[in-house]
Amino acid sequence: MREIWGDLLSEQDKAVISKAGYGVNGSALWASRGLGGHPALMIIDMQEMALGRDVPILEAIRDCRTAMGSVAWRALEFIVPFVEAVRRLDLPILYTRVIPPGYSKDDPAIKIVDQLAPHPSNHIIDKPYPSAFYGTDLGTRLVQNSIDTLIVVGNSTSGCVRATVVDARQVGLNVVVPVECVFDRIEASHKIGLLDMWMKYATVKPMSEVLTYLGEAVGREHDD
């Protein structure tokens, strides 16, 4: 994988990552890299208010200050086929929606975009804060379904995605982030968020490699 955060690193940063073994092993203090046998997909906050129109982000912001416009739409081009592939593998899929103050669940801005519309079997978690775990039943649901690995896609890389990844790691789950399937309104935040998760909390891989892993996990489960 070409590390998209590489252009932000000084030579000293690169040396620290190399000599401390982050590139190979992740965190030195806890197990941050792992791929379990029972994965589920978590789709974070893919709502109308996050995307807006497919226009440059500065134009999208004029319509809605949370909209990311073309930044989100380019990521959607990867997220949609990724989710479709996961559906074909018949893996569990969960969604989150953030409900900001002043909004109701019925507000059109809160709606998950049509391209990723949940199926009736998919659980939707409404949350008031960044992490999908805080104040929700997510942890209980994952335990009840014997999930050991959470695949996280959506927005934003440095915000709700990262918060969910950190909390998933803290309850003992393996976490995987397909790099093309997350996005952020600030490019530096996107790159640093991915770097941070890659070093300390998650396996960060290209979408194609994540799909290969998921196919192998499903195959092993069927063999058992």
Side-chain angles (χ1 to χ4, degrees):
M1 178 180 70
R2 184 177 70 85
E3 296 169 352
I4 68 168
W5 52 80
D7 60 335
L8 301 179
L9 301 178
S10 68
E11 291 306 311
Q12 177 172 294
D13 292 336
K14 294 174 184 177
V16 168
I17 289 170
S18 176
K19 290 184 181 299
Y22 286 105
V24 176
N25 300 312
S27 174
L29 303 177
W30 50 79
S32 65
R33 304 266 175 87
L35 300 171
H38 300 281
L41 174 63
M42 171 64 69
I43 303 171
I44 302 289
D45 301 349
M46 291 301 293
Q47 298 163 247
E48 292 288 349
M49 66 187 305
L51 275 75
R53 294 183 295 133
D54 186 3
V55 295
I57 186 170
L58 290 175
E59 187 175 341
I61 289 171
R62 291 202 294 267
D63 298 335
C64 175
R65 67 186 296 258
T66 59
M68 299 188 219
S70 58
V71 172
W73 282 85
R74 298 296 76 76
L76 190 66
E77 293 173 3
F78 292 95
I79 297 171
V80 168
F82 183 82
V83 173
E84 290 173 348
V86 172
R87 288 200 191 283
R88 288 194 293 271
L89 292 170
D90 199 28
L91 290 167
I93 298 177
L94 304 98
Y95 289 76
T96 68
R97 299 186 303 185
V98 61
I99 313 291
Y103 287 83
S104 73
K105 295 180 181 180
D106 298 324
D107 193 305
I110 299 301
K111 179 186 174 187
I112 294 167
V113 296
D114 289 340
Q115 296 91 330
L116 294 170
H119 289 190
S121 62
N122 301 149
H123 184 64
I124 302 173
I125 296 168
D126 290 329
K127 62 187 180 71
Y129 295 107
S131 173
F133 287 86
Y134 186 81
T136 76
D137 66 348
L138 175 58
T140 299
R141 285 184 173 274
L142 296 176
V143 169
Q144 289 175 341
N145 288 279
S146 301
I147 300 302
D148 60 12
T149 303
L150 199 63
I151 316 299
V152 182
V153 304
N155 99 95
S156 64
T157 311
S158 64
C160 295
V161 168
R162 183 187 180 280
T164 297
V165 166
V166 172
D167 280 359
R169 180 63 267 168
Q170 291 184 156
V171 298
L173 291 168
N174 300 302
V175 191
V176 182
V177 179
V179 68
E180 302 96 332
C181 296
V182 295
F183 59 97
D184 201 300
R185 59 183 48 80
I186 302 296
E187 185 178 4
S189 297
H190 175 64
K191 292 179 179 181
I192 292 169
L194 283 169
L195 167 64
D196 189 44
M197 290 185 283
W198 172 76
M199 285 183 64
K200 304 169 189 173
Y201 307 113
T203 297
V204 178
K205 287 181 174 290
M207 183 178 86
S208 60
E209 293 185 20
V210 178
L211 288 174
T212 296
Y213 150 66
L214 292 174
E216 291 171 350
V218 169
R220 288 193 297 270
E221 189 169 1
H222 288 168
D223 290 343
D224 292 343

